[in-house]
Amino acid sequence: MDFSNLHTILRSLYDEMMPLCEEMSGVAQGIAGLGALFYVAYRVWQSLARAEPIDVFPLLRPFVIGFCIMFFPTVVLGTINTVMSPIVQGTASMLEGQTLDMQKYREEKDRLEYEQMMNDPSTAYLVDDAEFDRQIDELGVTEIGTAAGMYIERGMYKMKKAISDAFRELLELLFQSASLAIDTIRTFFLIVLAILGPIAFALSVWDGFQSTLTMWIQRYIQTYLWLPVADLFSTILAKIQVLMLQNDISELTNNPNADIFESNTAYIVFMVIGIIGYFTIPTVAGWIIQAGGAGNYSRAINNTAMKTSTMIGGVSGSAFGNGVGIAGKLIKKL
């Protein structure tokens, strides 16, 4: 599954939903117009009642907000998205660079691991079919037990490797799914905030609702930052994997007896950590810009993440350990 295409679909969904802001602008203009009438009338009457000169500058506020409502997709959303898009592009380029390095080192590690096992006659038949057939052909009729043991050891090795690869692929799928879930929720929030944004601006004209304007801007920017924070988190995890791969390559180059299975287990552990960490992104984004009213949601996300990750880690670790343990016991008995 190509998750990059799914993320691209979410981007296009946001662009397709933006014209709906214009449908809300008419309703918002009516609410803002009525609010502006009361806003200006109250302050003019207050100044006249106190025999004070009328301060014109504060009276411009509802007219400026009304202008923003009339051209909301261009003036408001266009400005915020234009200012924030370089942050998204910068973090995306960082992630792309680390991902390319990780793929390069992973290919190098697989090549060295294959060469290490091929250089040892006692393990070459486990990874190479031609070498396995050659050693079987060299055995005599009286060495049927040795041939049977080779068949069983080769089967156990393949089963052990299959279990490890299966759990790695499962956790990678869950890792990508967590990223897609965060991006989907982010897109949903941005669309709702964008479509109902004119209403929030219109309500901010009324006395007692002035904070609605700043709260909307804070929430929109905070939600927008989920994607760059997620890219930064993925970049950090990719860098950790690159360092692990570099260490494995160094071990394979300098130590012919290096055990790569332990590093594969560490990789699986970091994938579990990554799944847990993805659901803390709303909290981290809230540290960058404070938006009131989103605390309960962030706590719900984090609580759900902790329960889900605990279940995933427990099930994955138990099944992985049982599978490897069974394979190890069978090998020892043989």
Side-chain angles (χ1 to χ4, degrees):
M1 182 182 296
D2 189 0
F3 282 89
S4 60
N5 290 336
L6 299 178
H7 289 284
T8 304
I9 291 174
L10 292 176
R11 307 292 179 274
S12 62
L13 174 64
Y14 176 84
D15 296 333
E16 292 292 333
M17 297 294 288
M18 285 306 97
L20 296 179
C21 297
E22 299 179 358
E23 299 181 5
M24 286 293 175
S25 297
V27 180
Q29 289 176 19
I31 297 174
L34 185 61
L37 177 63
F38 285 101
Y39 183 90
V40 174
Y42 173 74
R43 281 157 180 77
V44 170
W45 173 81
Q46 188 180 45
S47 298
L48 293 176
R50 295 177 178 176
E52 298 175 350
I54 299 174
D55 190 0
V56 179
F57 185 77
L59 302 181
L60 298 178
R61 182 177 185 273
F63 298 99
V64 175
I65 295 176
F67 175 80
C68 293
I69 293 173
M70 292 176 60
F71 304 99
F72 191 82
T74 304
V75 174
V76 180
L77 296 179
T79 302
I80 297 177
N81 293 340
T82 302
V83 173
M84 301 297 295
S85 60
I87 302 176
V88 176
Q89 296 173 2
T91 54
S93 62
M94 294 170 57
L95 176 60
E96 182 179 0
Q98 291 297 326
T99 302
L100 293 176
D101 291 341
M102 182 176 64
Q103 293 175 353
K104 180 183 68 174
Y105 286 116
R106 180 175 293 177
E107 293 174 357
E108 179 69 13
K109 175 195 169 184
D110 292 340
R111 184 184 64 82
L112 291 175
E113 185 177 358
Y114 177 80
E115 291 178 355
Q116 182 193 49
M117 299 193 71
M118 286 297 298
N119 292 332
D120 188 356
S122 63
T123 58
Y125 71 93
L126 297 176
V127 296
D128 187 74
D129 293 337
E131 180 65 20
F132 177 75
D133 294 336
R134 186 188 67 79
Q135 293 189 21
I136 289 294
D137 293 338
E138 291 179 353
L139 296 176
V141 179
T142 59
E143 297 177 310
I144 297 177
T146 304
M150 291 177 62
Y151 274 105
I152 295 174
E153 288 181 1
R154 180 177 168 87
M156 291 298 99
Y157 172 79
K158 288 187 174 182
M159 184 180 70
K160 182 179 179 180
K161 185 172 179 58
I163 292 173
S164 177
D165 293 342
F167 275 99
R168 185 182 67 180
E169 292 177 0
L170 174 62
L171 291 177
E172 287 179 350
L173 177 62
L174 293 175
F175 181 79
Q176 296 291 342
S177 300
S179 173
L180 183 63
I182 289 295
D183 198 6
T184 302
I185 297 173
R186 169 186 177 270
T187 304
F188 168 72
F189 279 13
L190 289 179
I191 291 174
V192 172
L193 288 172
I195 293 176
L196 298 180
I199 303 298
F201 273 57
L203 291 175
S204 66
V205 176
W206 293 77
D207 288 330
F209 294 93
Q210 287 88 348
S211 61
T212 304
L213 177 61
T214 56
M215 294 299 296
W216 183 93
I217 296 175
Q218 289 175 352
R219 289 182 180 132
Y220 187 90
I221 295 177
Q222 179 187 357
T223 307
Y224 198 96
L225 287 174
W226 285 15
L227 181 59
V229 171
D231 289 341
L232 284 175
F233 181 72
S234 300
T235 302
I236 295 172
L237 291 178
K239 185 62 177 178
I240 293 175
Q241 294 176 22
V242 168
L243 294 175
M244 293 173 61
L245 290 172
Q246 289 177 342
N247 182 69
D248 293 341
I249 292 173
S250 177
E251 287 290 327
L252 288 170
T253 304
N254 302 319
N255 184 11
N257 299 321
D259 186 6
I260 302 302
F261 182 73
E262 294 181 358
S263 65
N264 293 335
T265 305
Y267 172 79
I268 293 175
V269 171
F270 273 106
M271 291 301 297
V272 175
I273 295 173
I275 295 172
I276 300 173
Y278 255 116
F279 291 95
T280 64
I281 288 174
T283 301
V284 178
W287 294 346
I288 301 172
I289 178 171
Q290 183 63 37
N296 293 331
Y297 168 75
S298 298
R299 285 192 293 272
I301 284 277
N302 293 334
N303 291 336
T304 304
M306 293 302 295
K307 294 177 181 178
T308 304
S309 59
T310 301
M311 180 184 67
I312 292 172
V315 173
S316 301
S318 176
F320 180 74
N322 290 337
V324 175
I326 292 172
K329 290 180 181 178
L330 290 175
I331 292 175
K332 291 180 180 179
K333 290 180 179 179
L334 296 172

